Amino acid sequence: MPELDSAMLSRLLTSMTLGFHIIFATLGVGVPLLISGAEWIGIRRNDEHYRLLARRWTRGFVVTVAVGVVTGTCIGLQLSLLWPSFMEVAGQVIGLPLFLETFAFFFEAIFLGIYLYTWDRFKNPYYHWLISVPVVIGSTLSAFFISTVNAFMNSPKGFKLEDGQITEIQPLVAMFNPATPTKASHVISSAYLTSAFVLAALTAFLILKKGPSAYYKKALHFTMVTAFVFAISTAVIGDFSGKYLAEYQPEKLAAAEWHFETEKGADLIVGGVLDENNEVKYGLRLPNFLSILAHGNPNAEVIGLEEFPEDERAPLFIHYLFDAMVGIGMFLAALSTVYLILSKWKKAWSLSKLFLWAIVISGPLAMLAIEFGWIFSEVGRQPWILWHVMETKDGATTSEHVGSMFILFFALYVVLGWICTTVLLKMFRNNPVETEFEQMDR
């Protein structure tokens, strides 16, 4: 069991903060797109159901943004307090996207405020919808810029480190490193996907509770169609991510797939357990699939863990995280595909209790996939905080008070989670859809 020194406690505290923040960050990226899309459809079809969807989703979104601001601030604070040596390097090299991420957030926040307070203020409703576009752009750019920072940690470029001195800094090279295309696109697409399934899950639950009104059926159809689009895009980007790992981080891919020996025509292992000799038992082997994932060629050679020192190998439990992430992604893609088929040919089946419960479950599963994917990405990079430049233990603080900070931040997140949940429940319970329709008809 790893020793709970200051470095490990720093990792645990940062993990807890990011694990909590990523819930709100994901919704913060994806929900604006769905709000904008719902309002646009409502205006185009002159359908008040879709416009009301946009209104109600916006109210909930503002609450999650408020919590996300707090947790995002905690991350910035912890980077400076817990990882001073890392920030000494990263702060100089990758400061540009950190600044741009803040700018993108303020850009989003300004237009979100305008969007909130200008409902029904324009004779032409498209003017109000246009205000939502900068909100979508700002939230997406915020995700892009912060993803480039994480990409830099996996593929540090744009500087030289000689005798502890940083020279030849190139901010744009650091920002647009080889990991950026797959990392940023996967983060953004999966945020859209997860947000669509979360809203679809809430809608399915309300249909089960209140019945399939026209409003809820439209909400479910819109979110599930959106989910289908981004399930496909996330799967395609995931394939490119596998090929990136094979080229730039082969030891991470090998650890994730329990691939110990370099060989051609490598099998992909699903599930299973490892014995004391690192032999896989009870796993499902898919012949040549790892070579296809890594290089798009069933006969391609895939580098095994034997090529790397033991102290530079990631923990092998990331195999389960990878399997869970991919498995959930496949389930979500299949569920949205089946919904589209049923909604076209067997509409009654798409609103059956069994299928609706599957959609309800898809929301939490989608968020779990985000958590599993993030943990896989970060733990799979170990022991490096900067890939082959700085080890995690060398970037951490040596303070003796990290344990106390962990307890304080844990209490903060419990309170924030309780407040957010309570406010959202009261907000929508005290103002149901039916009441709003009655007020609109007066």
Side-chain angles (χ1 to χ4, degrees):
M1 185 174 179
E3 181 184 353
L4 283 180
D5 55 10
S6 58
M8 179 55 69
L9 285 170
S10 295
R11 287 180 62 185
L12 292 173
L13 175 51
T14 305
S15 298
M16 179 177 65
T17 300
L18 288 171
F20 187 66
H21 173 72
I22 203 169
I23 298 171
F24 303 95
T26 298
L27 297 175
V29 174
V31 172
L33 181 71
L34 288 138
I35 291 171
S36 182
E39 185 179 13
W40 180 76
I41 293 173
I43 296 170
R44 187 181 178 190
R45 297 181 182 176
N46 194 26
D47 190 327
E48 287 301 320
H49 286 134
Y50 282 100
R51 297 191 69 189
L52 184 57
L53 270 177
R55 283 178 184 261
R56 290 175 66 83
W57 285 346
T58 301
R59 293 171 197 157
F61 172 67
V62 171
V63 176
T64 61
V65 167
V67 178
V69 169
V70 177
T71 55
T73 303
C74 291
I75 291 172
L77 177 66
Q78 288 175 18
L79 282 175
S80 299
L81 292 178
L82 302 179
W83 306 100
S85 298
F86 164 71
M87 288 303 295
E88 185 178 352
V89 175
Q92 297 182 60
V93 182
I94 205 71
L96 177 61
L98 288 172
F99 166 78
L100 291 175
E101 191 273 337
T102 304
F103 175 81
F105 171 75
F106 281 115
F107 179 79
E108 173 194 357
I110 290 168
F111 281 96
L112 177 60
I114 299 171
Y115 183 78
L116 277 170
Y117 291 105
T118 53
W119 281 101
D120 303 322
R121 298 294 179 92
F122 301 101
K123 291 183 178 179
N124 186 339
Y126 278 106
Y127 291 161
H128 182 261
W129 170 77
L130 283 172
I131 299 172
S132 73
V133 176
V135 179
V136 175
I137 293 172
S139 63
T140 301
L141 284 178
S142 181
F144 172 79
F145 290 132
I146 205 65
S147 295
T148 64
V149 177
N150 186 264
F152 170 77
M153 296 168 71
N154 286 276
S155 182
K157 304 290 182 183
F159 72 103
K160 286 187 177 181
L161 191 61
E162 299 176 348
D163 300 324
Q165 299 296 316
I166 304 168
T167 60
E168 300 183 31
I169 296 173
Q170 302 177 68
L172 291 178
V173 174
M175 183 175 170
F176 295 100
N177 58 75
T180 293
T182 54
K183 176 69 70 174
S185 58
H186 192 72
V187 165
I188 293 168
S189 181
S190 60
Y192 292 157
L193 168 68
T194 301
S195 297
F197 269 111
V198 167
L199 294 178
L202 291 171
T203 304
F205 180 78
L206 290 170
I207 291 174
L208 287 165
K209 185 178 180 181
K210 298 184 177 183
S213 67
Y215 172 85
Y216 290 128
K217 286 193 286 187
K218 290 175 184 178
L220 185 66
H221 187 73
F222 175 61
T223 51
M224 289 301 288
V225 170
T226 305
F228 170 78
V229 172
F230 290 109
I232 300 303
S233 67
T234 302
V236 172
I237 296 166
D239 179 68
F240 285 116
S241 298
K243 291 172 174 53
Y244 165 82
L245 290 179
E247 182 175 355
Y248 292 97
Q249 294 179 298
E251 56 265 58
K252 185 175 181 178
L253 180 65
E257 297 301 338
W258 288 350
H259 183 63
F260 294 96
E261 298 179 3
T262 301
E263 62 180 346
K264 296 181 179 179
D267 297 344
L268 182 69
I269 299 173
V270 179
V273 293
L274 286 176
D275 63 15
E276 61 277 5
N277 298 317
N278 285 336
E279 293 292 332
V280 181
K281 295 183 177 181
Y282 316 116
L284 173 63
R285 286 185 175 272
L286 303 178
N288 305 111
F289 267 63
L290 182 55
S291 291
I292 295 172
L293 173 66
H295 302 290
N297 180 349
N299 298 313
E301 182 178 82
V302 181
I303 298 173
L305 278 176
E306 65 180 3
E307 306 284 343
F308 307 99
E310 287 192 16
D311 61 353
E312 293 184 9
R313 300 178 186 177
L316 296 179
F317 73 81
I318 64 171
H319 171 77
Y320 297 113
L321 298 174
F322 183 82
D323 279 2
M325 176 184 65
V326 174
I328 292 172
M330 292 176 66
F331 169 76
L332 299 179
L335 186 67
S336 57
T337 302
V338 171
Y339 172 83
L340 289 184
I341 295 171
L342 293 179
S343 65
K344 188 172 181 64
W345 285 290
K346 295 285 186 179
K347 289 187 178 181
W349 291 8
S350 67
L351 295 174
S352 65
K353 285 189 176 181
L354 180 62
F355 195 75
L356 287 172
W357 275 116
I359 296 175
V360 171
I361 294 169
S362 72
L365 284 179
M367 193 60 75
L368 270 178
I370 291 286
E371 297 282 2
F372 290 149
W374 171 77
I375 299 170
F376 164 72
S377 177
E378 298 306 295
V379 177
R381 192 180 60 244
Q382 298 307 311
W384 309 101
I385 191 170
L386 279 176
W387 188 254
H388 288 181
V389 173
M390 179 185 291
E391 291 193 11
T392 303
K393 59 183 177 61
D394 296 327
T397 181
T398 57
S399 171
E400 299 177 356
H401 305 292
V402 182
S404 301
M405 290 177 60
F406 184 95
I407 295 171
L408 290 173
F409 277 103
F410 177 79
L412 172 65
Y413 302 146
V414 170
V415 171
L416 284 175
W418 177 80
I419 291 174
C420 180
T421 304
T422 302
V423 169
L424 287 173
L425 287 174
K426 287 189 175 181
M427 178 185 292
F428 292 105
R429 282 177 178 172
N430 297 339
N431 192 26
V433 171
E434 296 77 13
T435 302
E436 290 210 44
F437 274 124
E438 290 177 5
Q439 294 171 349
M440 291 169 62
D441 291 337
R442 291 174 185 172

